[in-house]
């Protein structure tokens, strides 16, 4: 059963309609016509999948108690919403059984498709070694457009209020995913019938969850955090707009490297990464 949108949710939707339409109709989708182009896209998009998880965990840290001794924090309804979102995104049911995060599922999809995971792997290794996000991005071979996108997210995490984080997560990210990925699923079905099964599962799962349960949860969470305050509502809408703009810049950056140029850009990044790894080993 689809819940009827509240007045606030209708106002947010109207304010974001133009930006959302620009993303739905983006020229990037038409450029994912070969497996090589799809691989190159995945090598960028995986960083957006990762920082989406970081935004979600920032919300959980702000809105629930994640330390000991435990104390009740904030609104119980908000805690329930964010914890259910974390459950679905961080430990969803896997195709073969068991549980895993959507990020880990995406890494498996990359491996199945033959996409290079060297840059994201190096990035994660540097984070585990204690490097900060900006330094790890720069030294892992991540392209500039990826660094700009992730750094925008972490600026929201570092400085944003809970209602702004929730709005960026919901309207700029979580609520947007079904529309973006539906176009990818349709293109994959036409271009690569019977292939890329893990990626198809990842996309189908996002459409199933985000287009139904998680989208509604996110919208409800934003409204509860704004609590009818006009200033908070305006700030939430602005945070959502900024998140949409960041996604649009990322899509524009990838689309500006059409066809083989996409592959050439990421080949250069791989070469730089391998050279850096050799220098590290030599030391």
């Amino acid at each position: 059963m689809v819940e009827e949108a509240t007045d606030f949710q209708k106002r947010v939707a109207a304010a974001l309609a133009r930006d959302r339409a620009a993303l739905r109709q983006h020229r990037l989708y038409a450029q994912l016509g070969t497996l090589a182009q799809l691989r190159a896209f995945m090598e960028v998009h995986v960083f957006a999948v990762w920082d989406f998880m970081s935004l979600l965990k920032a919300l959980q840290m702000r809105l629930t108690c994640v330390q000991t001794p435990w104390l009740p924090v904030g609104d119980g309804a908000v805690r329930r919403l964010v914890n259910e979102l974390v459950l679905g995104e961080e430990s969803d049911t896997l195709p073969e059984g068991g549980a895993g995060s959507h990020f880990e599922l995406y890494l498996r999809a990359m491996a199945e498709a033959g996409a290079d995971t060297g840059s994201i792997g190096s990035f994660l290794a540097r984070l585990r070694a204690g490097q900060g996000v900006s330094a790890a991005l720069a030294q892992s071979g991540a392209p500039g457009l990826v660094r700009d996108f992730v750094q925008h997210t972490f600026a929201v995490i570092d400085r944003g209020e809970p209602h702004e984080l929730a709005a960026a997560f919901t309207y700029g990210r979580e609520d947007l995913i079904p529309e973006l990925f539906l176009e990818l699923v349709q293109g994959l079905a036409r271009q690569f019938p019977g292939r890329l099964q893990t990626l198809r599962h990842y996309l189908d799962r996002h459409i199933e969850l985000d287009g139904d349960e998680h989208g509604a949860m996110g919208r409800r969470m934003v409204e509860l955090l704004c609590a009818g305050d006009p200033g908070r509502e305006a700030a939430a809408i602005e945070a959502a707009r900024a998140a949409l703009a960041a996604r649009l810049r990322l899509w524009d950056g990838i689309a500006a490297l059409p066809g083989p140029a996409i592959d050439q850009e990421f080949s250069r990044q791989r070469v730089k990464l391998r050279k850096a790894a050799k220098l590290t080993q030599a030391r």
Side-chain angles (χ1 to χ4, degrees):
M1 180 179 176
V2 179
E3 295 183 9
E4 183 177 352
T6 65
D7 288 342
F8 170 67
Q9 291 170 7
K10 290 175 182 176
R11 283 189 279 114
V12 174
L16 303 179
R18 181 177 297 180
D19 293 327
R20 291 168 64 84
L23 282 161
R24 285 197 301 271
Q25 300 162 13
H26 203 281
R27 66 189 186 279
L28 173 62
Y29 302 113
Q31 297 175 216
L32 301 178
T34 70
L35 186 56
Q37 290 167 333
L38 180 62
R39 287 169 178 159
F41 169 79
M42 295 177 76
E43 290 163 17
V44 176
H45 182 243
V46 66
F47 285 91
V49 177
W50 173 83
D51 93 341
F52 172 80
M53 294 298 303
S54 297
L55 189 55
L56 175 57
K57 296 303 286 187
L59 271 173
Q60 189 182 36
M61 291 171 66
R62 296 280 189 93
L63 301 174
T64 74
C65 184
V66 292
Q67 61 188 22
T68 56
W70 180 87
L71 292 169
V73 174
D75 184 280
V78 172
R79 292 198 303 266
R80 175 66 177 264
L81 289 169
V82 73
N83 282 329
E84 287 193 16
L85 288 165
V86 170
L87 174 66
E89 296 291 341
E90 193 173 33
S91 51
D92 198 9
T93 302
L94 297 175
E96 72 282 4
S101 70
H102 288 176
F103 173 75
E104 291 164 310
L105 187 63
Y106 198 87
L107 288 179
R108 286 173 50 182
M110 290 179 69
E112 183 178 85
D116 192 318
T117 59
S119 186
I120 187 67
S122 174
F123 174 63
L124 296 176
R126 292 174 185 280
L127 291 179
R128 289 191 180 100
Q131 276 194 335
V133 171
S134 295
L137 283 169
Q139 295 177 31
S140 65
L145 56 92
V146 166
R147 296 198 296 272
D148 291 344
F149 182 81
V150 173
Q151 286 167 355
H152 168 81
T153 298
F154 274 81
V156 175
I157 290 172
D158 292 340
R159 298 194 297 270
E161 295 294 326
H163 52 280
E164 295 171 316
L165 267 70
F169 175 86
T170 298
Y171 291 102
R173 313 296 296 282
E174 181 86 348
D175 187 57
L176 183 63
I177 284 172
E179 299 170 19
L180 294 178
F181 283 153
L182 181 57
E183 298 187 31
L184 289 180
V185 170
Q186 293 168 343
L188 286 169
R190 292 191 299 268
Q191 297 291 335
F192 313 115
R195 304 178 68 181
L196 305 169
Q197 293 303 310
T198 303
L199 181 60
R200 285 294 305 273
H201 175 81
Y202 171 89
L203 298 177
D204 289 344
R205 188 63 177 146
H206 263 284
I207 291 168
E208 178 185 350
L209 284 176
D210 303 340
D212 186 10
E213 301 172 26
H214 287 190
M217 286 180 190
R219 291 187 291 273
R220 178 63 176 154
M221 178 171 60
V222 173
E223 189 159 15
L224 286 171
L225 290 169
C226 288
D229 182 274
R232 288 187 181 184
E233 291 179 352
I237 290 173
E238 184 55 35
R241 279 193 177 125
L244 289 169
R247 173 78 66 163
L248 189 58
R249 289 192 297 272
L250 180 66
W251 261 218
D252 286 344
I254 303 171
L257 302 168
I262 295 178
D263 302 325
Q264 291 169 8
E265 168 68 12
F266 286 94
S267 292
R268 286 194 292 269
Q269 298 297 336
R270 291 173 197 138
V271 169
K272 287 171 63 178
L273 182 61
R274 288 176 185 135
K275 286 181 178 178
K278 288 180 180 177
L279 286 172
T280 301
Q281 290 172 357
R283 291 173 188 161

